[in-house]
Amino acid sequence: MRLEAPILLNFYMHFVIKLFPEIIVKSAPVRKRFTRQLYNNLNILVKRISPSLKVRRDWEKLEVVGPEDSAVQIKVAQVLANTPGIAFFYQVTQFEFETLDDIYQHTAQIWGDHLAGKTFCIRAKRTGSHDYSSVEIERYVGGGLNQNHVTGGVRLKQPDITIKLEVKNNTLFVVQREVGGLGGFPLGTQDPVLSLLSGGFDSTVASYLAIKRGLRTHYLFFNMGGRAHEVGCKEIAHYLWQKFGSSHQVRFISVPFEGVVAEILGTISQANMGVVLKRMMLRAASKVAQEFNIEALVTGESVAQVSSQTITNLSVIDRVTETLVLRPLITSDKGDIIATARAIGTEEFAANMPEYCGVISKKPTTRAKLAVVEQEESEFDLSVLEDAVARMTVQGILNVLEATDYQQADEFGYVPTGAEVIDIRHPDEQESAPLLVDNKPVKHIPFYLLAKSIAELGSQQQYLLYCDRGVMSRLHAGQLSEEGYPNIGVYRPN
């Protein structure tokens, strides 16, 4: 639900946050712990936006308050909409009042000019000692608005606009808009997990659902031969963390799996290659998880989506490890998975991920026999797997895009004559903070489309890549320079 009113420039910014219902019904100690964790998470997140912001909490809600600033207000709303544990939040204006007519006057100040041609109703919630009830507030305020402003009339069922008021003792909160949150549990209330990330639709959405449920989600990538694929997975992991889970630091772990793939090709039958590859991944993931004291793995498998994901094959795959394997998508349809990816902003990431896999069976089995698989694996040199795990690289997610061996591209604090700037940020970032370059054209090509788009731009003109921190722009400019595009640089305005 979203109330159709503009964001007003008041002298005080105020958001009221309602907890996810599953938190509210928990026992008092658990609810207190979950609320405290959400409070701590929001403190971390909003202080990054502005040190002047404050988070307050009581038994039934949390609040974010601070000086009025439209740019800060937009950023706070984005954080609240993407933080696990929040059912919805209100943007409100707070007034002190004495009389019932004061409540009407304050409400009219916010809503009176926005009701032209609109049907509306008032919904009031009252706490404290007053000479009137919540219903009397609704009647008085609704009648006053209808009599003194041009409206489409009062309609109690399915109105165009529902105006929500909360009265607490002598304080009035007028809701300007209501925005739905992610739901789920605050990050950090559950144990950490290790998500096996390939960058496709499934593993990406599975990782998001784990974060949403309050699981601190680390990322494990099996590199089977493609540096571009690893960079793509780092980008998508960083995106998921930055948008939904940046209150907690996590790791990105990469395991070189080319040798394991080669060993599978040399020792395993065509029919069982896919199943054995998944078993080797779970073996390796379990070792990594044990090293970092993580008790569960997350995968993006869905029943019968591909041959290795039949119930029989999944059972054979799981026999290889005692580590708990969570599969958030296990009964999801592919269309629903893609729709979720679209909603969270990862659809085009996944669609353009430069995946590589050297294990593609012509006739994969859908009913693997455990005894047969184990017999074939007895010929597999497990020292190859152990060596791969020993050579894993571990990076903190905050710096995961900064460590690269690509050559360095030229950086400019200005736009040279004849050059064009390409804004490679995610469309959400481009929309919330448009890049303005005086009298210079700006192209918009998200970083995950650069590889496909750069060939169409040609090599005659100079292009400068831009992103907020300069990390992604340096990464892609260096990669493109190595691939034969010397006309690519980086735009870093002062």
Side-chain angles (χ1 to χ4, degrees), residues 5 27 152 221 307 352 410 416 432 469 471:
S27 66
F221 170 70
S307 60
N352 292 279
D410 293 334
S432 63
R469 294 176 58 210
V471 176

Side-chain angles (χ1 to χ4, degrees), residues 276-420:
V276 171
L277 176 63
K278 292 293 183 68
R279 281 168 61 89
M280 293 299 168
M281 287 180 172
L282 286 192
R283 278 189 175 99
S286 297
K287 291 178 181 293
V288 174
Q290 184 177 12
E291 180 167 338
F292 293 105
N293 297 314
I294 297 173
E295 296 184 1
L297 309 175
V298 174
T299 75
E301 290 152 324
S302 174
V303 169
Q305 188 178 117
V306 295
S307 60
S308 65
Q309 295 175 20
T310 63
I311 292 295
T312 299
N313 286 354
L314 289 173
S315 176
V316 171
I317 291 167
D318 278 2
R319 300 291 183 89
V320 80
T321 181
E322 294 182 358
T323 307
L324 175 65
V325 180
L326 304 177
R327 295 183 169 96
L329 307 179
I330 195 65
T331 60
S332 299
D333 296 332
K334 190 68 174 184
D336 293 336
I337 296 170
I338 294 174
T340 301
R342 184 179 306 123
I344 66 176
T346 62
E347 180 186 21
E348 290 191 89
F349 273 98
N352 292 279
M353 185 63 59
E355 289 196 60
Y356 169 86
C357 182
V359 180
I360 302 176
S361 302
K362 294 180 180 178
K363 293 183 179 180
T365 183
T366 58
R367 300 190 64 82
K369 305 295 186 184
L370 179 61
V372 174
V373 168
E374 289 179 337
Q375 174 59 37
E376 292 189 10
E377 285 183 348
S378 68
E379 303 296 323
F380 189 99
D381 183 1
L382 287 176
S383 68
V384 175
L385 183 70
E386 293 170 0
D387 177 67
V389 174
R391 292 189 295 117
M392 68 180 175
T393 58
V394 182
Q395 293 177 271
I397 195 69
L398 183 63
N399 303 314
V400 75
L401 298 178
E402 294 181 353
T404 175
D405 55 356
Y406 287 120
Q407 68 184 44
Q408 298 298 309
D410 293 334
E411 295 191 18
F412 297 84
Y414 64 97
V415 182
T417 302
E420 282 194 51

Side-chain angles (χ1 to χ4, degrees), residues 251-267:
R251 301 180 180 93
F252 183 94
I253 302 160
S254 180
V255 176
F257 235 52
E258 302 98 322
V260 176
V261 170
E263 187 71 12
I264 289 174
L265 292 172
T267 60

Side-chain angles (χ1 to χ4, degrees), residues 130-146:
H130 303 90
D131 295 333
Y132 40 80
S133 65
S134 297
V135 173
E136 288 174 312
I137 294 173
E138 294 171 354
R139 290 173 178 168
Y140 188 93
V141 175
L145 289 172
N146 199 40

Side-chain angles (χ1 to χ4, degrees), residues 3 9-10 26 86 115 124 169-170 188 201 218 223 274 297 309 337 364 366 404 431-432 445 475-476:
L3 299 179
L9 298 180
N10 306 308
K26 292 189 178 297
I86 297 175
L115 299 177
N169 299 318
N170 293 324
F201 294 105
H218 302 270
N223 194 333
L297 309 175
Q309 295 175 20
I337 296 170
T366 58
T404 175
E431 183 179 352
S432 63
I445 304 176
L475 179 69
H476 284 277

Side-chain angles (χ1 to χ4, degrees), residues 149-170:
H149 296 81
V150 178
T151 75
V154 174
R155 180 186 293 172
L156 299 182
K157 292 184 178 181
Q158 297 183 329
D160 296 323
I161 295 175
T162 298
I163 300 175
K164 293 188 176 183
L165 309 176
E166 290 197 19
V167 173
K168 190 170 185 179
N169 299 318
N170 293 324

